[in-house]
Amino acid sequence: MKLAPTIVILGSLLTAGSIHAKWSRIPIIKEKPVNTITGPASSASLDSSSGFGRADSILSSDITASSTVSAGKSFVLLNLGKPVLISSSSFVNDGIEGKATLSASADKNGWAVLEEKVFSAADRNVEFKFAGMQAKFVKLELALTKGGIIRHLQFFGATTDKGYAVKQSPDGQGGKPADLINGLGGARVVYAAPKPANGVDSAITYNKFAFPESDEKYRTIIYDFGQLRILNEFASVHSPRPVRFEVFAFDNLPEKEDWRGRMAFDPNEFGAKSPVAVAEDTRGLGSIKAKPSKPVKTRYLALRWEPEFNPPDFQCTGSAEGNVINIVTTNTVIVTNADGSKSVVTVTVGDAHGAGAGSSNITPENAAQMIAQGDAAQSDTTTITTVNYAPGVDPNAPGATPTSTVTTTGTSTVTTTVQSDGTVVTTSSTKTTDSSGAQTTTTVTETKAPDGTTTTNVTATNSNGDPVPVVGTEGPNSQNNNLGAGTSGAPTGTGSTSANQTNTISTAGSSPPP
């Protein structure tokens, strides 16, 4: 008698499990290949072309930008600016048919054919895969029986977004437009539903999705930029059929553990939100742009396609454009200050996606955004070290002694200053964000006198600069709850102390600092 209810319960569990399986979080990939010929870090240029209309669109970061190609023979020759390792290439085909030949050269004299492809007008993506080759020049030659349009030409190889961080102005208006999904913006796919037919790894790596035949109403991709971004325009290149394109922004991604203990997203969340941008490709042209009513500030972005009918397959690539004012790379520079002093600044970009969150100019607008930005900064391992020298001191001279050193990693800043009497003052400042979005800055100041005496002072302030109680803070070199690694015990961290505390520790017999 209990068999039927049991079957119903098991069926419900299987259905729920199936739904969650489609919406399980995709692991973050550390490095993402970037297109060698587009984007703010590219030095590629158009060398020459024949038979191409709007040939310079080939180098545009706008994925919808198109070049017309006539029937017959044509070519486009690109200068990559320097020798670059390439191992694959592709372009989106709008109606052309014939043969494509891809070649590479180091000097434009000797050319090596990388691969040849014969394709029809129905082939939406034309892809080349070949053994990796160092090249400074690449040439795409076409022999077409039918002309049309090509767009979104890409070259991939050894170039990734590791070691780069892009910066935006606080209002997102300064700088130049850049695609922050397909370039150096730090975007990582965290959800894709239904499961891509071209394989999850390939789809998320190159941001090209081939969704299989499905009775689901939507095809959805959700991105995590790694930190707050300001976005001005969204675009789609997709299968040439009518489609509705929607864009959603989440201040903090609503996730929870599924029945297997994995993080999962409930697609019903879309029903509780309004899209920030919508556009319709009513004629089935295969490309479209969506402009929001105002710039979108978000860390998490969802792109959603709704085909007019259930297609046998649906291919799509999305983009999000935002203005970039600067590209930070791992580098060391010497800066001459107004007073004649010099500073040696070394930037080592971390490996977190969207690296550079700790020094981002984008200001959160609400508690959820503060939490998202705080989490990003705390996970960012980008390090900026500034070594300061007095006026007249050459940093490159043997034995040059700095006056101070400032090191910033994520939300923590450590400053070390050597005073004229040999006293060394080390200040460690750390910012944290709680579950309500409130930000606290805790500062630990450790003073080491020439006689070996160490004094440690701990303070904490809120975002307005007002003092707040100190909660279980350890010094920059602390061990076993000893502030400053001294011999006297510090608070254990089980409660709060006053807003300012001083711990003087005698360390007789220790050597003074050099």
Side-chain angles (χ1 to χ4, degrees):
M1 296 297 294
K2 295 183 179 180
L3 181 59
T6 302
I7 292 175
V8 171
I9 293 172
L10 287 174
S12 299
L13 289 174
L14 288 173
T15 301
S18 176
I19 292 174
H20 282 302
K22 295 178 182 178
W23 287 93
S24 293
R25 187 181 242 270
I26 297 171
I28 293 289
I29 58 174
K30 278 289 186 181
E31 292 183 55
K32 179 182 175 183
V34 295
N35 187 1
T36 299
I37 65 170
T38 64
S42 173
S43 56
S45 61
L46 178 65
D47 183 284
S48 58
S49 67
S50 176
F52 274 72
R54 301 189 301 272
D56 54 345
S57 295
I58 291 290
L59 298 172
S60 174
S61 62
D62 178 359
I63 65 172
T64 67
S66 61
S67 296
T68 58
V69 193
S70 305
K73 292 186 176 181
S74 57
F75 78 88
V76 61
L77 174 60
L78 303 178
N79 182 345
L80 302 182
K82 59 183 178 180
V84 176
L85 177 66
I86 55 175
S87 57
S88 67
S89 179
S90 67
F91 64 81
V92 176
N93 172 22
D94 269 344
I96 66 175
E97 185 169 290
K99 177 181 176 182
T101 303
L102 190 66
S103 305
S105 173
D107 54 9
K108 286 200 300 183
N109 291 321
W111 291 89
V113 174
L114 301 175
E115 191 177 12
E116 294 181 336
K117 284 280 186 178
V118 176
F119 57 92
S120 71
D123 293 322
R124 183 61 169 166
N125 283 294
V126 179
E127 299 183 348
F128 305 87
K129 292 186 178 181
F130 42 88
M133 178 178 176
Q134 285 279 128
K136 185 178 178 181
F137 299 92
V138 289
K139 181 167 57 176
L140 175 64
E141 297 175 279
L142 300 174
L144 303 180
T145 57
K146 181 182 178 182
I149 290 174
I150 74 168
R151 67 179 95 232
H152 200 28
L153 177 62
Q154 300 183 97
F155 285 88
F156 293 104
T159 304
T160 70
D161 59 359
K162 183 178 181 179
Y164 293 90
V166 299
K167 299 295 181 184
Q168 294 185 283
S169 59
D171 59 2
Q173 298 302 309
K176 297 180 179 180
D179 181 358
L180 298 181
I181 283 182
N182 293 284
L184 303 177
R188 295 292 187 270
V189 176
V190 289
Y191 290 98
K195 185 178 180 180
N198 56 330
V200 172
D201 291 343
S202 177
I204 67 174
T205 298
Y206 299 103
N207 196 41
K208 280 193 171 185
F209 293 82
F211 289 111
E213 181 177 0
S214 171
D215 58 2
E216 291 192 24
K217 186 176 182 180
Y218 302 101
R219 312 311 188 253
T220 308
I221 307 169
I222 302 180
Y223 299 89
D224 177 2
F225 285 100
Q227 62 169 284
L228 290 181
R229 295 294 189 198
I230 299 181
L231 308 170
N232 304 313
E233 190 175 60
F234 309 96
S236 165
V237 172
H238 49 269
S239 296
R241 54 177 57 95
V243 66
R244 177 180 171 87
F245 179 52
E246 296 180 330
V247 182
F248 292 82
F250 293 91
D251 290 331
N252 212 345
L253 198 61
E255 298 175 287
K256 59 184 179 181
E257 288 190 358
D258 64 11
W259 61 282
R260 297 169 300 179
R262 300 178 184 177
M263 296 306 295
F265 179 86
D266 184 354
N268 291 325
E269 293 287 346
F270 289 114
K273 290 184 69 68
S274 297
V276 295
V278 178
E280 291 191 36
D281 178 9
T282 57
R283 297 169 57 191
L285 300 177
S287 67
I288 198 171
K289 287 187 176 183
K291 188 82 173 179
S293 59
K294 63 178 182 179
V296 175
K297 184 183 293 186
T298 188
R299 175 175 171 176
Y300 303 98
L301 188 78
L303 304 182
R304 223 173 187 204
W305 291 263
E306 181 186 355
E308 191 177 68
F309 55 92
N310 183 28
D313 61 71
F314 186 78
Q315 302 177 30
C316 59
T317 295
S319 78
E321 180 186 281
N323 286 1
V324 172
I325 60 172
N326 190 26
I327 303 175
V328 179
T329 61
T330 298
N331 195 17
T332 298
V333 296
I334 297 179
V335 179
T336 302
N337 304 309
D339 62 354
S341 63
K342 293 186 177 181
S343 300
V344 180
V345 182
T346 300
V347 178
T348 304
V349 179
D351 60 359
H353 67 292
S359 57
S360 173
N361 291 322
I362 308 302
T363 304
E365 295 177 343
N366 53 53
Q369 288 185 359
M370 289 183 69
I371 295 170
Q373 191 73 330
D375 290 344
Q378 290 169 26
S379 65
D380 184 10
T381 58
T382 297
T383 301
I384 304 173
T385 303
T386 303
V387 183
N388 301 307
Y389 295 84
V393 177
D394 181 2
N396 295 318
T401 302
T403 57
S404 64
T405 300
V406 182
T407 301
T408 301
T409 302
T411 56
S412 299
T413 299
V414 178
T415 303
T416 302
T417 304
V418 181
Q419 299 179 352
S420 58
D421 64 352
T423 299
V424 179
V425 180
T426 301
T427 302
S428 175
S429 177
T430 302
K431 294 181 180 180
T432 56
T433 304
D434 65 18
S435 58
S436 68
Q439 192 174 79
T440 301
T441 300
T442 303
T443 303
V444 180
T445 302
E446 181 182 82
T447 303
K448 291 185 178 181
D451 63 2
T453 302
T454 300
T455 302
T456 302
N457 187 59
V458 183
T459 62
T461 57
N462 59 24
S463 56
N464 295 322
D466 300 324
V468 297
V470 177
V471 181
T473 304
E474 299 182 1
N477 300 308
S478 61
Q479 297 174 359
N480 301 323
N481 292 319
N482 286 344
L483 288 173
T487 56
S488 299
T492 61
T494 57
S496 301
T497 69
S498 62
N500 295 282
Q501 68 181 32
T502 301
N503 207 17
T504 303
I505 306 169
S506 174
T507 54
S510 63
S511 302

